Amino acid sequence: MLQHLPSVIDQLATFEVLLSILAGSLFGGFIGALPGMGTVVALIVALPFTFSMSSPAAIALLLSIYCSSVYGGSISAILINTPGTPQSAATVLDGYPMAKRGKADYALGWATVASVFGGLFSLVLLVFLAPQLAAVSVHFGQVETFALIVFSLTCIAWVSRGSTIKGLMAGSMGLFLATVGADTMTGFSRFHFDIYELQGGFSLISILVGLFAFSEVFYRAAIREDEVKPIPNVGFKVAPWPEWKSRMRCLLQSSAIGSFIGVLPGTGATAATFIAYGEAKRVSKRRDKFGTGEPEGIIASESANNAVTGGALVPTLALGIPGDGGTAVMMGVLLIHGVTPGVQLFKNQPEIMLGAFVTLFFANVILLLIGAVGAQGFTRVLRLPEPMLMAMVLLMSLVGAYAVRGNPVDVIVAVAAGVVGVFLRLINVPMAPIVIGMALGRTFEESFRQGMILKGGNFWAFFEQPIADGILLLTLVVVCWPMIARLIRRRGMAEKTVG
Amino acid sequence: MRRILTLAGVAAGLVVGGATAYAEYPEKNIHVMIPFSAGGGTDVPGRLFSIELEKILDTNIIVTNVTGAGGTIGATKLSKEKPDGYHLGFMPVGTTTTQPHIRKTAYSDKSWEPICMVAQGPLYVTVAKDSGMNTFQDLIDRAKEGGVVTGGPPPGSLPHIAQAAVALAHDVEFTYIPHEGINEVVKSMLGGRVHMAIWFGDAAQRFDLVPLAILDSKRSEEFPDVPTAAELGKPIEHYVWFGFFAPAGTPSDIIEKLSAACEEAVQQPSFVEGMAKAKRLIRYMPTDEFREFFTDQYKNNGKLLRDAGLIK
């Protein structure tokens, strides 16, 4: 494949393609930063433009939007405590506290570099291991998916600061919210109370916008914080190398988790970021600082969500099966351009693949530029008078909630979720577990029920799958570890007192 | 003075109003609703078609995707729009003729003015390449031993009904595992968990699946070697179609105008080329023929669903 590199670069080095990458990255970053409007909306808005573009330019435009919109979500997560996209919900946990301490410039620096690293990490995997990873992806069946989601749910404990019980309750709320709407297994709609707009269920975006953006606005309007806020630094600062070096392990681990989850079916980017966050916290020496503005929290979430991009492209390009909502829209555009992703593409048109890889490389690297230049403007948002900022957030969130599906009920749901969110804040229930529950609920249920049909209704047959067993065992260890650790420590102390 | 002003206002209103009534349709943007997500199976032909309409009608066409619940959310929304010719829909067979029977939708066959049929796709019985099944007979033999697992979209979908029809005709049973969509089904097939899926020709091409039979009255150009269901003993025909609809009550002169535009659109070289690139089949049916066809389909699919025991 590499012998095509010079000709591919030649083909891509046109004004149209370069402009597409630049415009796509700017646009994607911007839309990603707007609360509610995520990757899919950004791609849909750009879709009609691709009809009149050449194929390489169209692919370049979409890939850059894809990468930068995922990155863009972190900007609003850090600056205004509202994730721009569901994938950045975990970034809020440490990004916003850091910005609140006046270090928004560093927070953006951590997020940007981590995003670029995660994106490039997954790109390397995509280039060298796509066919192998795709094979893993198809053999990761319903039972294995079920086991993985059981494992993923353990991260609820890690993101629930304070009360674990409240976190688990919030997680269950999320799981219940995911049951509303069409039931794939029967084709019927459930729990929609005869409101036809609810037959499609709650959209994750509208719940997210409500819980984070609206509740933030309502909370600030209702409760006056008298604390003196530090004047936020504007701009963009990358922490010095030693700071990064001591967090290298977190960066690598989270990028690997993101890439891997991206390859697998059904789990998705949102869950990937929370798993990466949970795992980072579990193994970190700085565990106690998580949730108070620890850079590792930002690194884990942002490197994982950008690593999902390369991971999700593995089944998309290698098999023609989109890995997530964003890649599904891209698939449609590729088909219109007469490019059919899949096994044949790898064999017959390697130059198209290679072109996509080269484009992805630039789409990731350009994020540094967007972050560095854009941050000058973004961070100034924090110096706006608060009523103005909040009004803007409210307006954009309303539009975002509506734009996802064009369904007016989503707006009402978002506002209602905002009111509930204020209440949850007052009683200190963490919001992130609700998002985890909602992001995983549907696949959790479907993989279980599909697995039950496959196994002829015998749940114990789930344990015939060795990979699933391994994952479930790991779950058990992770859940029990704090208790075991305490036991060991206590015995150690007892021995000391005896000795 | 006030009276004079009011009168003047009324007069002005009448003039303007009169002018609108006689103005040439379309005089403002037209909204085309597609009830599935952007880039998907309905969206691709729908958007290609809208591009042509935009040129022919010389106005802006705004495509909106209103998704969810088998397209019924979008269709319900469209059925409640003002029937003024500025709100139209590009919808497939399932949303318009099976979903109303399965769900209690607020709309029925009476809620639409069918304008034309634009595209069609026959269903194929497909298996994965390494499944060990090379002919339709292999599939039936294996099913007789028991243990053929098939996958498709949620119950009540066209592929679900089609596999039930195949099983019924050949007196076998398939285990049906509902998936969210074809992408998930293919993943299960490549992983060996699902053995057979009934889907459109584009999937066979995209995912390198082996088509064993076509559920149509004649063989297709894309797979000329694949026998029809009738050649294999039982005539079973199932195909998806995509039509262009207006809400019921849309004035007949507007329908005529749209009908003419539709006929022109499907013949445009750019449309033909675009559809070919996306591996989709154009199938045009003019208004009168389509209206009759649509009413028949609505009735027949209701009967099929009842026969399959999916609805009471």
Side-chain angles (χ1 to χ4, degrees):
Chain A
M1 197 154 86
L2 280 177
Q3 73 272 20
H4 300 287
L5 196 58
S7 70
V8 164
I9 291 183
D10 201 39
Q11 199 188 343
L12 290 178
T14 62
F15 179 67
E16 194 191 8
V17 172
L18 296 177
L19 186 68
S20 298
I21 296 180
L22 185 65
S25 302
L26 279 171
F27 175 72
F30 177 68
I31 295 282
L34 295 183
M37 288 194 242
T39 309
V40 175
V41 172
L43 287 169
I44 290 173
V45 172
L47 194 141
F49 293 100
T50 64
F51 291 146
S52 56
M53 294 165 80
S54 71
S55 293
I59 296 173
L61 181 74
L62 296 175
L63 287 175
S64 8
I65 291 177
Y66 184 47
C67 293
S68 63
S69 59
V70 174
Y71 160 70
S74 69
I75 298 168
S76 39
I78 290 169
L79 298 181
I80 51 177
N81 200 16
T82 298
T85 60
Q87 297 102 302
S88 285
T91 311
V92 169
L93 300 172
D94 279 287
Y96 183 64
M98 194 187 258
K100 225 174 160 184
R101 291 206 313 255
K103 290 189 173 171
D105 50 349
Y106 278 107
L108 284 176
W110 287 108
T112 309
V113 177
S115 294
V116 173
F117 185 90
L120 292 177
F121 182 94
S122 67
L123 176 61
V124 172
L125 291 184
L126 175 68
V127 172
F128 292 104
L129 291 173
Q132 291 82 352
L133 287 172
V136 172
S137 150
V138 296
H139 286 102
F140 204 87
Q142 281 80 1
V143 175
E144 287 83 1
T145 304
F146 170 74
L148 181 67
I149 291 179
V150 171
F151 176 75
S152 311
L153 289 172
T154 63
C155 65
I156 288 178
W158 294 106
V159 299
S160 314
R161 268 180 77 77
S163 166
T164 312
I165 295 290
K166 283 180 184 166
L168 291 176
M169 282 166 61
S172 313
M173 257 175 75
L175 288 175
F176 280 122
L177 286 174
T179 60
V180 175
D183 173 8
T184 302
M185 304 306 289
T186 60
F188 292 102
S189 234
R190 317 175 282 194
F191 314 131
H192 55 78
F193 298 100
D194 281 337
I195 303 168
Y196 82 85
E197 289 95 341
L198 269 185
Q199 291 205 351
F202 293 121
S203 92
L204 174 62
I205 307 259
S206 66
I207 298 281
L208 183 85
V209 158
L211 285 180
F212 286 91
F214 287 171
S215 83
E216 179 79 14
V217 173
F218 297 161
Y219 187 83
R220 287 204 200 180
I223 289 133
R224 207 152 180 89
E225 283 183 6
D226 287 327
E227 58 180 298
V228 186
K229 280 194 205 148
I231 295 169
N233 292 340
V234 294
F236 174 88
K237 282 209 185 74
V238 178
W241 172 242
E243 296 255 323
W244 278 98
K245 204 180 155 196
S246 67
R247 292 178 173 90
M248 217 49 206
R249 178 192 164 141
C250 172
L251 192 58
L252 283 169
Q253 174 186 306
S254 309
S255 301
I257 290 175
S259 313
F260 187 62
I261 303 255
V263 169
L264 300 180
T267 328
T270 310
T273 58
F274 281 109
I275 296 172
Y277 185 90
E279 283 306 292
K281 187 172 173 185
R282 199 168 62 80
V283 301
S284 174
K285 288 195 289 280
R286 306 181 179 87
R287 187 188 301 175
D288 298 334
K289 288 193 190 149
F290 271 69
T292 63
E294 165 56 42
E296 270 186 41
I298 303 177
I299 294 180
S301 161
E302 281 307 307
S303 58
N305 67 22
N306 275 75
V308 168
T309 58
L313 281 168
V314 166
T316 314
L317 293 178
L319 303 170
I321 303 173
D324 62 5
T327 44
V329 176
M330 277 194 268
M331 275 279 305
V333 175
L334 289 176
L335 290 174
I336 288 174
H337 277 272
V339 176
T340 310
V343 195
Q344 301 298 330
L345 188 66
F346 257 96
K347 273 187 233 150
N348 304 339
Q349 292 166 294
E351 66 284 355
I352 288 187
M353 288 297 231
L354 199 59
F357 295 156
V358 173
T359 309
L360 265 175
F361 177 77
F362 286 112
N364 274 301
V365 172
I366 206 171
L367 293 183
L368 282 175
L369 184 76
I370 302 237
V373 177
Q376 304 297 335
F378 297 138
T379 43
R380 264 164 235 275
V381 164
L382 289 181
R383 292 194 175 167
L384 282 177
E386 190 165 286
M388 208 191 265
L389 178 62
M390 289 297 113
M392 268 167 59
V393 171
L394 200 65
L395 187 69
M396 288 186 224
S397 309
L398 277 172
V399 175
Y402 180 73
V404 183
R405 303 190 294 192
N407 188 341
V409 86
D410 287 344
V411 178
I412 300 165
V413 167
V415 175
V419 175
V420 174
V422 173
F423 177 67
L424 294 178
R425 271 171 204 244
L426 291 174
I427 56 172
N428 284 321
V429 173
M431 316 274 190
I434 303 180
V435 176
I436 301 175
M438 246 201 111
L440 291 174
R442 198 140 270 258
T443 324
F444 188 39
E445 184 193 340
E446 272 166 25
S447 61
F448 175 71
R449 289 170 73 185
Q450 289 172 338
M452 285 297 272
I453 301 178
L454 274 172
K455 296 292 179 191
N458 178 7
F459 176 67
W460 302 109
F462 275 39
F463 297 99
E464 287 166 8
Q465 316 282 105
I467 298 176
D469 286 344
I471 299 172
L472 289 173
L473 197 68
L474 187 67
T475 313
L476 202 66
V477 171
V478 168
V479 170
C480 298
W481 182 246
M483 285 178 261
I484 301 168
R486 208 176 304 150
L487 267 180
I488 296 172
R489 227 178 300 138
R490 205 172 291 163
R491 181 176 294 177
M493 264 196 264
E495 269 164 22
K496 248 180 232 161
T497 40
V498 171
Chain B
M1 184 63 199
R2 174 166 290 180
R3 206 136 143 215
I4 295 172
L5 269 181
T6 319
L7 274 175
V10 170
L14 279 175
V15 170
V16 174
T20 359
Y22 288 106
E24 190 85 354
Y25 171 87
E27 51 166 3
K28 56 179 182 181
N29 295 343
I30 296 178
H31 294 261
V32 171
M33 189 282 307
I34 295 177
F36 290 90
S37 53
T42 308
D43 185 67
V44 170
R47 279 184 192 263
L48 291 172
F49 180 68
S50 300
I51 295 172
E52 304 304 332
L53 274 190
E54 193 162 48
K55 285 183 237 161
I56 294 163
L57 293 172
D58 193 26
T59 181
N60 289 319
I61 298 221
I62 301 162
V63 175
T64 43
N65 302 84
V66 183
T67 62
T72 56
I73 293 180
T76 308
K77 194 172 171 215
L78 179 66
S79 70
K80 291 179 177 171
E81 295 284 2
K82 206 168 145 204
D84 55 3
Y86 294 101
H87 292 94
L88 308 168
F90 189 87
M91 301 188 284
V93 51
T95 305
T96 51
T97 70
T98 62
Q99 295 293 351
H101 297 290
I102 299 168
R103 300 163 199 269
K104 285 188 202 118
T105 55
Y107 63 90
S108 70
D109 57 336
K110 305 276 184 292
S111 309
W112 313 114
E113 292 288 347
I115 301 168
C116 60
M117 186 194 279
V118 177
Q120 200 181 64
L123 287 168
Y124 291 84
V125 177
T126 65
V127 293
K129 236 184 187 147
D130 53 4
S131 69
M133 294 180 274
N134 300 315
T135 64
F136 186 75
Q137 197 53 45
D138 289 349
L139 176 77
I140 296 301
D141 289 345
R142 191 151 157 194
K144 285 212 168 108
E145 292 163 21
V148 167
V149 179
T150 160
S157 61
L158 215 57
H160 177 242
I161 298 172
Q163 64 86 27
V166 171
L168 195 71
H170 290 270
D171 196 24
V172 290
E173 258 180 57
F174 301 131
T175 304
Y176 191 80
I177 301 196
H179 289 66
E180 239 161 70
I182 186 62
N183 295 315
E184 288 73 27
V185 176
V186 174
K187 240 176 206 168
S188 291
M189 282 174 94
L190 297 180
R193 296 177 296 280
V194 162
H195 311 118
M196 181 271 272
I198 294 189
W199 204 259
F200 313 111
D202 68 322
Q205 297 223 353
R206 253 165 69 193
F207 304 120
D208 229 6
L209 303 175
V210 182
L212 301 180
I214 176 171
L215 304 183
D216 201 354
S217 53
K218 56 179 194 303
R219 294 189 177 205
S220 68
E221 270 174 42
E222 42 178 359
F223 296 108
D225 301 331
V226 176
T228 66
E231 290 173 44
L232 295 163
K234 311 276 177 182
I236 305 163
E237 283 179 39
H238 281 282
Y239 47 85
V240 70
W241 50 258
F242 302 91
F244 191 41
F245 293 86
T250 305
S252 59
D253 53 329
I254 290 181
I255 297 291
E256 270 166 39
K257 186 137 195 187
L258 287 168
S259 177
C262 178
E263 184 169 4
E264 203 180 327
V266 293
Q267 291 168 8
Q268 295 303 310
S270 48
F271 181 69
V272 174
E273 192 195 344
M275 289 288 277
K277 264 188 178 177
K279 307 244 163 24
R280 306 301 289 266
L281 297 180
I282 299 171
R283 171 85 168 84
Y284 171 70
M285 218 185 250
T287 307
D288 293 336
E289 196 185 331
F290 182 48
R291 190 182 293 130
E292 200 176 311
F293 171 85
F294 171 68
T295 317
D296 277 355
Q297 281 261 304
Y298 188 86
K299 252 188 262 150
N300 290 341
N301 285 339
K303 185 173 174 301
L304 256 169
L305 286 164
R306 269 187 296 277
D307 291 349
L310 286 164
I311 48 167
K312 283 172 201 124

